[in-house]
Amino acid sequence: MEELPTQTYRVTRADLVRYAGASGDFNVIHWSERLATKVGLPGVIAHGMLTMALAGRAVTTWAGSADAVVDFNVRFSRPVPVPDDDEGTEIEFRGVVKGETEDGLTQIDITATCHGEKVLSQARAIVRRHHA
């Protein structure tokens, strides 16, 4: 089992505003502390698809290029709270190579955590690895 270098990405409230504009997802849980807590969340949370996109960024870094990614799947298991400060939060991605398929593709199992809590489950990618 090969462990891949950890990838860490910071997410701030400003990132959530930019992502909302790009995606068209202006759900109040991504910008209003008052309304997010009213529906039972710990506060404003990152968009699930933003978290998935950051996982994809980690996968492309490990694989060497975006076109090396053949398949990519995640399930959202826990929200990513983003505090209203300049620091935001960090999401850490760890990858472990689980083996190769008959046709030479590599399976990577991904663990994504925020403050020690798993935020994605069943996160996996199939990639074509560039061998030096």
Side-chain angles (χ1 to χ4, degrees):
M1 238 177 5
E2 174 189 356
E3 288 192 28
L4 302 169
T6 300
Q7 305 292 319
T8 303
Y9 303 109
R10 182 169 302 282
V11 179
T12 65
R13 292 276 179 99
D15 294 321
L16 300 185
V17 170
R18 285 188 285 273
Y19 188 82
S23 69
D25 181 352
F26 295 98
N27 189 313
V28 295
I29 63 174
H30 303 305
W31 59 268
S32 171
E33 194 83 25
R34 180 178 55 84
L35 294 173
T37 55
K38 190 175 183 177
V39 298
L41 293 167
V44 167
I45 63 169
H47 302 75
M49 294 304 289
L50 174 57
T51 304
M52 184 177 182
L54 293 172
R57 183 173 166 195
V59 170
T60 60
T61 298
W62 294 323
S65 67
D67 64 349
V69 180
V70 176
D71 190 41
F72 175 55
N73 293 289
V74 306
R75 292 206 180 180
F76 305 109
S77 55
R78 191 175 291 264
V80 174
V82 180
D84 188 11
D85 60 21
D86 293 335
E87 299 299 312
T89 195
E90 287 185 338
I91 307 172
E92 186 176 273
F93 299 92
R94 298 178 186 274
V96 175
V97 174
K98 283 298 191 179
E100 289 200 6
T101 64
E102 291 176 10
D103 48 356
L105 299 175
T106 302
Q107 178 180 321
I108 299 172
D109 285 1
I110 306 153
T111 302
T113 57
C114 181
H115 297 291
E117 301 273 343
K118 269 180 84 170
V119 296
L120 297 177
S121 62
Q122 299 179 26
R124 290 185 187 86
I126 304 294
V127 301
R128 283 185 206 87
R129 298 211 36 207
H130 297 285
H131 297 286

